[in-house]
Amino acid sequence: MTNGAAEGDFIRKLESFGETYPGIRLSYRKSNSPSAVVISIDGSLDSNNSDAFRKLALEVLGLAKNEGGLILNLAGLRYASSTGLGSFTAILLEARRHQVPFFLCHIQPSVLSVLDLLGFTSFFDCINDFEVFP
């Protein structure tokens, strides 16, 4: 499968994610400055959808490596359970294994407090704006 075909397949999966898992919407885009794949999460990430989200996000790591990195835009993430945040850790570990830069962006205070409570904030590279990340 070509990179373009893989990207198209991934975008279709993202667009239909909310149909399978109501309460969450995912979107995909490429950031040109800097070059990276951005997945935006709107809604809630919890035990009902986090495993499927993790699997889907891991699929994009190959694309993200070719594009310069993976950014999870959390501006629309209203709630994340510890299971949901655990999916971020799984993605981080796989990204490091494949040497793909991985960032969390626009973390909402409610999500940040759970990350802090779990002691996860020191593991992740967090940025305020994906248009200017290092």
Side-chain angles (χ1 to χ4, degrees), residues 3-111:
N3 220 23
E7 183 177 25
D9 185 47
F10 179 74
I11 291 170
R12 281 187 291 283
K13 288 179 183 180
L14 273 175
E15 290 173 349
S16 65
F17 195 85
E19 295 169 15
T20 306
Y21 301 97
I24 188 169
R25 196 184 94 211
L26 304 176
S27 60
Y28 169 91
R29 72 169 261 212
K30 289 183 183 176
S31 170
N32 293 322
S33 176
S35 179
V37 170
V38 179
I39 299 175
S40 296
I41 307 171
D42 293 304
S44 298
L45 188 60
D46 55 31
S47 60
N48 294 320
N49 56 24
S50 62
D51 189 51
F53 168 75
R54 177 188 54 81
K55 289 175 183 174
L56 190 57
L58 289 175
E59 284 184 40
V60 81
L61 281 178
L63 294 171
K65 184 171 187 173
N66 295 332
E67 294 297 331
L70 175 61
I71 300 170
L72 294 184
N73 178 8
L74 308 180
L77 184 63
R78 293 185 314 273
Y79 171 78
S81 69
S82 58
T83 306
L85 295 177
S87 65
F88 294 168
T89 303
I91 297 163
L92 171 67
L93 294 174
E94 196 67 12
R96 285 183 178 168
R97 190 167 80 81
H98 293 285
Q99 299 178 333
V100 177
F102 176 66
F103 299 89
L104 301 179
C105 182
H106 297 299
I107 304 171
Q108 297 302 304
S110 60
V111 175

